[in-house]
Amino acid sequence: MIGISVVVPSYNQGRFIDDTIRSLLDQDYPDLEILVMDGGSTDDTVERLKAYGSRIRWISEKDEGQSDAIVKGFAQTSKPWITWLNSDDFQCDRALWRVNEAVKAQPDAEVVIGGGHYTHEDGSFLRDYPTVDVGPNVDMRREMFEKGYVAQPSIFYTRALYDRVGGLNRALHFCMDYELWARFAVAGARFARVEADISANRWYETTKTAAQIFDLYAEVVATQKRLFGRVSPYFVQAISDHLYTKFHAQFFGDSGHLLLRWVWFKAIWVALNATAPGYCVGGLFRHTLAKSGPAVGDSMTVRDWTNGVRAYLRRRRAARAGG
């Protein structure tokens, strides 16, 4: 069995922490180390942690944020494979055992990625979490640049690789996970895949990512420019769709939305990639948005664009005639 250390960063998550810890302990994995890094919670988290006795370790003290807690936690664990599990997320479907099986099948693996899903606040299923392709002929550097989506609770990696790439970036507060995965890929790490849904990621209004989406996108853009020198179509669309909804549709309605989303996409593409002129100009003509969202892949065609323009002009003429 491979030894696995799981760090659980937590702050005032007493209502969720038992689900998180039990999802690990209930797997009865024989070589597991759990360390909860609590940021000095003022709710009942510490009392709940005490109830587990020697089955887990925990530290409750103020920290400099989630990244800081994870870095300090990894430094105080000992197993050769590591990951972190946020205190409002949980594992499922024998996740630890499946990771062990993946490493047995591919002994040279340094990173194991499984599937995952989102849940509502109460833990009920919301939707699948999209996952990058992983395989012997897959360019993981390209996957992490063009897509980058991995369910954070579903990725495990060796301590040796983590140390080799320099560990987690404490300065990041939102995309520290993606930035670490991207550095794994840039460093040429060997990836393996678990063909199962092994984690659940809660999504609700007060989650950090949902509440501060602009800060997340700013960190992602800075990360992609630093590691790859440009921003991928996936993240350009994610940002342009969000800005379109926030600053256009909210005030002017969603009439002709496909055409206008396309215009926003092209404008944001230029704004984010102007520092890479060749890539920017080439992508301006080559890349377009996906109609149903950046992760779907149903790219807008010339026919879609033409029909959108005609429909938009018809509505404008009708509106002027009616006015």
Side-chain angles (χ1 to χ4, degrees):
M1 309 298 296
I2 60 169
I4 302 175
S5 295
V6 180
V7 170
V8 180
S10 176
Y11 181 70
N12 284 344
Q13 295 280 18
R15 58 187 174 139
F16 299 129
I17 194 73
D18 286 318
D19 286 347
T20 301
I21 294 174
R22 283 198 299 264
S23 77
L24 294 166
L25 292 176
D26 289 352
Q27 296 181 55
D28 292 322
Y29 189 79
D31 198 359
L32 171 65
E33 178 182 31
I34 302 172
L35 174 58
V36 179
M37 296 296 294
D38 179 70
S41 291
T42 57
D43 63 359
D44 63 347
T45 296
V46 171
E47 292 304 312
R48 291 177 180 273
L49 295 177
K50 290 178 179 178
Y52 292 96
S54 62
R55 301 181 73 193
I56 68 171
R57 293 167 52 216
W58 58 272
I59 298 171
S60 184
E61 61 184 20
K62 289 189 176 181
D63 53 47
E64 300 301 319
Q66 183 183 13
S67 298
D68 181 57
I70 295 166
V71 170
K72 290 194 295 187
F74 283 157
Q76 297 182 66
T77 57
S78 60
K79 304 299 182 181
W81 281 80
I82 59 177
T83 190
W84 80 82
L85 180 64
N86 292 328
S87 53
D88 54 354
D89 299 334
F90 53 93
Q91 290 183 356
C92 56
D93 200 8
R94 300 174 69 250
L96 302 170
W97 292 91
R98 289 185 177 276
V99 171
N100 181 70
E101 291 164 4
V103 176
K104 285 176 62 179
Q106 188 176 326
D108 66 342
E110 297 174 291
V111 185
V112 175
I113 293 178
H117 65 279
Y118 287 108
T119 74
H120 294 284
E121 188 171 0
D122 63 3
S124 59
F125 181 85
L126 176 60
R127 65 181 183 274
D128 289 327
Y129 201 118
T131 306
V132 296
D133 292 332
V134 179
N137 299 315
V138 175
D139 182 344
M140 293 307 302
R141 190 178 188 277
R142 182 171 182 174
E143 282 292 301
M144 288 300 176
F145 170 67
E146 292 186 347
K147 302 173 184 177
Y149 31 82
V150 175
Q152 182 276 314
S154 295
I155 182 169
F156 296 72
Y157 33 94
T158 66
R159 187 181 300 275
L161 171 64
Y162 175 83
D163 291 339
R164 189 171 87 233
V165 302
L168 201 66
N169 188 339
R170 292 176 189 253
L172 299 178
H173 300 285
F174 301 94
C175 81
M176 62 282 194
D177 49 357
Y178 168 69
E179 194 262 359
L180 183 61
W181 321 152
R183 278 191 284 131
F184 287 166
V186 170
R190 296 178 294 275
F191 287 73
R193 177 70 179 268
V194 170
E195 297 292 347
D197 179 337
I198 60 174
S199 77
N201 190 314
R202 277 191 173 91
W203 186 261
Y204 51 98
E205 188 176 356
T206 56
T207 55
K208 183 174 68 172
T209 303
Q212 297 171 282
I213 194 73
F214 278 124
D215 298 293
L216 166 66
Y217 287 147
E219 286 192 357
V220 168
V221 168
T223 292
Q224 287 219 317
K225 286 195 169 187
R226 176 168 51 84
L227 294 179
F228 304 109
R230 56 199 188 278
V231 182
S232 70
Y234 169 77
F235 285 111
V236 169
Q237 175 160 356
I239 294 167
S240 66
D241 279 356
H242 183 73
L243 292 175
Y244 166 76
T245 301
K246 191 79 174 176
F247 296 112
H248 185 96
Q250 181 176 339
F251 299 103
F252 302 104
D254 213 20
S255 176
H257 73 281
L258 195 58
L259 171 62
L260 294 176
R261 277 179 54 214
W262 180 86
V263 172
W264 275 79
F265 173 85
K266 295 297 184 180
I268 299 301
W269 176 271
V270 173
L272 296 182
N273 286 305
T275 54
Y279 174 77
C280 181
V281 173
L284 189 62
F285 293 98
R286 184 169 66 255
H287 296 304
T288 188
L289 56 80
K291 292 175 284 187
S292 303
V296 176
D298 54 341
S299 297
M300 188 175 177
T301 64
V302 173
R303 176 175 292 183
D304 294 324
W305 189 89
T306 303
N307 291 339
V309 170
R310 290 173 178 169
Y312 178 69
L313 294 176
R314 283 198 300 270
R315 283 192 292 269
R316 290 294 299 271
R317 286 195 295 268
R320 286 198 296 268

